[in-house]
Amino acid sequence: MKKLFFIVAAMFVAVSFSACSDDDDNGGKAPTPEKWVKQIKYYFDGDYSETTNITYDSENRVKKIDDFWGVDYEFTYNGNSLTVKGRDEYEYIDEDMTFVCYVCKLNSDGYITEIEETGYETNGTDYYKLEYKNGYLQRVEKRYGDNNSRLGVTECKWSNGNLVESKYTDDDYRDDSHSYEVVKWSYSETATPINVNVAYLIRGVGDVPNILGRFGFCGRQSAKLVCEYDYTSYVDGIEDDSGHNSYGYTFNPDGTVKSMNRNGNSFLNLIY
């Protein structure tokens, strides 16, 4: 199996006026390990902030993530399998209990094709299947261990190497309940210069576990930096909610992203 670096195709900041094809390499080299994100600092209303720390092993694979929304994660690799265990940092549950565990199968590119999820928030085992085309995530199916009649499906549309639409459908045939959400993404002309998937920094993609999607385990990220997204959700065919967010960036002298803002307000800083 190819050495697993778990970084998606990316390139240094540049302005490009020509489109990339869906199966190219995003036009350049990925950042070196010295320029990988090692800390993410989030800003919330007022002065409150939260910091996530990322540790890599000697093979440049994600080893540990501390305080990802109050959960610490450890990554264990064994051939074409990956096990990710998360423990609640604040001990809202038993300190010896695993908050969540993902047992994953990897393809030759190091992307996850199957997930078994157990833990505090599941009742039984939830199963995921992920499908790719040229390294880009196309479809995710999630089946729930406590409800065999419930099926979650995420479908992704790509154009010029960018994720332009993700649709998440949640059908519970036992209760005859049907809901779905459509997210449409827009992009700047600036190439993606970091090893962390920006879509998951912003909101995530459908049912994909964020801890896995964010750090490159679920396919290549978009070639350009996200500047806007719009979402609309529906329940039984009736619009339930909608929203819009826009994003801006500042950059370090070497071209890596220094900070992001959301709707003009501080959102996060990245430390390398």
Side-chain angles (χ1 to χ4, degrees):
M1 192 183 76
K2 296 178 181 178
K3 181 178 285 187
L4 197 56
F5 287 102
F6 297 130
I7 53 175
V8 293
M11 70 182 194
F12 295 111
V13 173
V15 177
S16 174
F17 297 98
S18 61
C20 304
S21 66
D22 281 337
D23 57 354
D24 68 12
D25 64 358
N26 286 352
K29 297 180 180 179
T32 61
E34 292 77 15
K35 294 184 180 180
W36 288 3
V37 175
K38 297 178 177 64
Q39 191 175 85
I40 307 171
K41 187 172 184 178
Y42 301 89
Y43 296 94
F44 304 93
D45 293 338
D47 297 327
Y48 177 69
S49 64
E50 185 170 288
T51 300
T52 295
N53 294 293
I54 307 156
T55 304
Y56 302 91
D57 67 12
S58 60
E59 297 183 48
N60 299 321
R61 305 174 300 188
V62 176
K63 178 181 180 180
K64 189 176 181 182
I65 298 173
D66 293 321
D67 197 7
F68 182 77
W69 304 117
V71 179
D72 295 338
Y73 292 89
E74 293 186 356
F75 296 72
T76 303
Y77 305 91
N78 183 16
N80 66 340
S81 68
L82 165 70
T83 300
V84 181
K85 291 185 177 181
R87 297 185 182 277
D88 191 334
E89 183 184 59
Y90 301 113
E91 300 180 5
Y92 294 136
I93 58 176
D94 190 313
E95 64 179 346
D96 295 323
M97 180 178 179
T98 299
F99 181 77
V100 66
C101 179
Y102 301 108
V103 178
C104 312
K105 290 184 178 180
L106 307 171
N107 64 18
S108 59
D109 294 316
Y111 300 144
I112 294 170
T113 58
E114 296 181 25
I115 305 171
E116 294 184 5
E117 177 186 357
T118 57
Y120 183 72
E121 294 186 327
T122 62
N123 186 7
T125 302
D126 294 343
Y127 297 90
Y128 303 73
K129 288 188 176 181
L130 294 79
E131 299 174 5
Y132 304 88
K133 181 180 179 181
N134 299 324
Y136 295 101
L137 182 65
Q138 302 293 313
R139 180 181 174 90
V140 181
E141 288 191 4
K142 179 181 180 179
R143 294 192 177 275
Y144 294 79
D146 63 343
N147 184 353
N148 291 329
S149 67
R150 184 180 178 188
L151 174 64
V153 176
T154 302
E155 297 172 294
C156 300
K157 293 182 180 180
W158 298 81
S159 177
N160 297 323
N162 295 309
L163 176 65
V164 295
E165 181 178 298
S166 56
K167 180 180 180 180
Y168 170 65
T169 304
D170 187 355
D171 288 327
D172 188 342
Y173 298 99
R174 182 176 64 189
D175 296 334
D176 196 29
S177 173
H178 308 281
S179 62
Y180 68 94
E181 178 185 76
V182 177
V183 181
K184 295 185 177 181
W185 307 80
S186 301
Y187 294 86
S188 69
E189 288 295 331
T190 305
T192 307
I194 57 176
N195 68 299
V196 175
N197 195 316
V198 174
Y200 294 88
L201 287 175
I202 290 173
R203 69 171 287 124
V205 178
D207 237 352
V208 178
N210 197 292
I211 192 69
L212 303 177
R214 178 171 297 200
F215 296 100
F217 296 99
C218 300
R220 301 167 68 177
Q221 70 166 306
S222 294
K224 306 293 185 180
L225 289 173
V226 175
C227 62
E228 296 179 293
Y229 77 79
D230 295 272
Y231 73 90
T232 309
S233 61
Y234 302 83
V235 177
D236 295 330
I238 301 173
E239 184 175 326
D240 179 59
D241 193 17
S242 63
H244 170 88
N245 283 299
S246 60
Y247 294 85
Y249 304 81
T250 64
F251 301 92
N252 294 307
D254 62 5
T256 53
V257 174
K258 179 179 180 180
S259 67
M260 295 174 59
N261 68 73
R262 179 170 59 194
N263 302 324
N265 299 313
S266 295
F267 179 50
L268 60 80
N269 281 358
L270 301 173
I271 294 89
Y272 301 83

